Amino acid sequence: MLADVPMVFVLFGITAYTVLSGADFGAGFWTLFPGGGQADAATTREHTRHAIGPVWEANHVWLIFVLTVAWTCYPGPFGSIVSTLAVPLLIAAIGIIFRGTAYALRSQLEAGEGRAVRVVEDLFALSSLLTPFALATVIGAIATGRVPVGNARGDLITAWLNPVSVLAGVLAIAFSGYLAAVYLAADARRLAERALVRDFRIRALAAGVVAGALALAGLLVVRAQARPLWDGLTSGVGLAMVCVCAVAGVATMILVWRSSFGLARTSAALAVAAVIAGWAAAQQPRVLPGLTISQAAAGRATLIATIVGVAVGAAVLVPSLALLYSLVLRGRLDTAVAGTGVGGTGVAGTGVGGTGVGGTGVVTGGGQGAGVAGRDERAAARVDGRVAPSRLSVAVAVASLVIGAGLLVFAGPAWAHGVGAVFLLACAVTVFGMAVAPGEEN
């Protein structure tokens, strides 16, 4: 049982990366194909760029987390995977680097630099397609048993360029576009951009249909090319996850049709997460052909140290990311519009008689004015007036950490390790609650 705990961490990280970074990659897709809507292409590209601004780097934390836990706790399978699948992993790494570089460069370019802006945006968009495709082919290779145990024992080309892996890559792009369209529609609704709301609502519906069709086609390809995986997906927990994915996907389409984008975000993420869970259930307990999780795991001391380290790190990381995402979803990190106006016209809007209001900023003054973001001021006041967590919450968090670490380090039975992991999880959840909920005032 102890050997399974880090694998749960790995699967959680893959799911988080797929749902969160997948939406970011999808934003690149809509940057490449911004036309066909009421809003012009430039407005659509600008909306996608600003929407991912606060989180595009933070989401890669999950990929780093997955790699770190995998190579620490399952070194044999990790070495086999990265050696046999070195080509798609290299492509993914190049895509991530180019994508980050292009996004950073775009923020330094003025809108008037048309050719340079377009080159950088196209590089960002193409990298956003290349990266999820390459990473999904890695999943497809592992799921179909094309990665044998040993250093570079598998074929460097056919291991990831095969029908299942290629379809997985295309499906990853479709899911990314689908998630991004739902999320961007919700962001446009918050910003009261009606044309963008309509455009991304239609794009979400279209991408949902395409993603659903590809998922069904994928099942047929899996049946023909990877019978063991097919058997796992059509029985037990694997079948249950397939059903959850289908129900969540249909629910998302209905919610998007009704313009309930807040709930659609959750159901869309659930549909994608169910795909990851279904794959894990279908493959369990194998990691690679002929190698189970317990056989692949590192020594007991390494596993315990990793679990304790993850629990302690989660106490800091999870509340931080939760706070970041909550601020983004509530619009607290929307770009504050500030600038000067001349003759009553300012960056924030057009003034009448020297006063202008636009977006979240206010421009005032007879001939010149300074933009003030009222929303940011209110947010700053709330930060300054933060309240301390309750003493009970602090006590529960500390007790959970001590008990969980003690059971994992000093206890021998497997059930005690499971209980210890639960206590550490309780510690992380409690700290998360203290970070996002008000407590007692000092």
Side-chain angles (χ1 to χ4, degrees):
M1 183 175 182
L2 183 63
D4 295 327
V5 175
M7 185 58 70
V8 173
F9 293 158
V10 169
L11 292 173
F12 178 83
I14 292 175
T15 302
Y17 188 69
T18 302
V19 170
L20 299 173
S21 283
D24 285 355
F25 293 135
F29 179 89
W30 299 119
T31 298
L32 188 63
F33 302 104
Q38 288 185 348
D40 57 61
T43 301
T44 301
R45 290 194 183 99
E46 193 70 9
H47 178 61
T48 60
R49 186 170 68 88
H50 281 295
I52 68 174
V55 297
W56 71 278
E57 277 189 306
N59 288 335
H60 286 303
V61 167
W62 299 111
L63 180 60
I64 297 170
F65 173 75
V66 169
L67 294 175
T68 303
V69 174
W71 85 50
T72 302
C73 297
Y74 309 101
F78 184 85
S80 302
I81 292 169
V82 298
S83 58
T84 294
L85 301 175
V87 175
L89 289 172
L90 177 61
I91 293 173
I94 292 173
I96 291 172
I97 293 170
F98 279 16
R99 183 175 181 272
T101 302
Y103 188 84
L105 285 174
R106 177 61 184 86
S107 64
Q108 305 301 315
L109 297 175
E110 299 294 336
E113 303 177 62
R115 182 176 181 182
V117 168
R118 188 56 189 271
V119 169
V120 169
E121 287 182 342
D122 286 347
L123 177 61
F124 170 78
L126 292 173
S127 300
S128 296
L129 301 184
L130 189 65
T131 303
F133 177 85
L135 291 174
T137 61
V138 172
I139 300 296
I142 297 171
T144 54
R146 294 177 181 271
V147 182
V149 179
N151 185 36
R153 293 283 299 277
D155 191 283
L156 294 177
I157 302 301
T158 60
W160 63 283
L161 285 181
N162 57 78
V164 174
S165 294
V166 171
L167 186 59
V170 176
L171 187 60
I173 295 174
F175 273 152
S176 296
Y178 167 59
L179 285 171
V182 175
Y183 291 7
L184 290 169
D187 289 338
R189 166 70 61 81
R190 189 184 70 246
L191 297 171
E193 297 284 354
R194 294 184 179 180
L196 288 172
V197 171
R198 176 190 176 278
D199 292 349
F200 280 106
R201 174 177 174 270
I202 294 174
R203 288 169 180 144
L205 292 171
V209 171
V210 172
L214 287 173
L216 291 175
L219 289 176
L220 298 178
V221 174
V222 167
R223 181 181 180 184
Q225 298 285 326
R227 193 71 189 192
L229 182 61
W230 166 262
D231 293 339
L233 290 172
T234 54
S235 62
V237 179
L239 178 60
M241 290 298 101
V242 171
C243 294
V244 169
C245 178
V247 172
V250 172
T252 302
M253 298 292 284
I254 295 173
L255 290 169
V256 171
W257 180 264
R258 299 178 59 183
S259 297
S260 299
F261 300 118
L263 291 175
R265 273 178 165 170
T266 303
S267 59
L270 177 61
V272 176
V275 173
I276 305 297
W279 159 56
Q283 190 164 330
Q284 197 271 340
R286 294 178 295 105
V287 181
L288 298 178
L291 188 67
T292 64
I293 294 176
S294 58
Q295 293 170 340
R300 180 174 179 272
T302 301
L303 297 179
I304 291 175
T306 301
I307 294 171
V308 173
V310 168
V312 174
V316 177
L317 179 63
V318 172
S320 301
L321 290 176
L323 178 61
L324 172 63
Y325 296 142
S326 65
L327 290 174
V328 171
L329 292 176
R330 287 181 287 175
R332 301 287 178 80
L333 299 183
D334 288 344
T335 304
V337 182
T340 59
V342 179
T345 303
V347 175
T350 302
V352 179
T355 302
V357 181
T360 59
V362 180
V363 177
T364 60
Q368 293 185 340
V372 180
R375 180 187 302 175
D376 288 353
E377 289 182 347
R378 292 191 295 272
R382 279 190 292 271
V383 171
D384 292 337
R386 289 193 65 170
V387 294
S390 68
R391 295 177 181 177
L392 177 60
S393 297
V394 174
V396 170
V398 173
S400 299
L401 177 62
V402 173
I403 294 173
L407 288 174
L408 283 170
V409 175
F410 300 109
W415 64 266
H417 296 155
V419 174
V422 170
F423 269 103
L424 290 178
L425 179 61
C427 173
V429 172
T430 304
V431 173
F432 165 77
M434 290 190 292
V436 299
E440 300 173 354
E441 294 195 18
N442 290 326

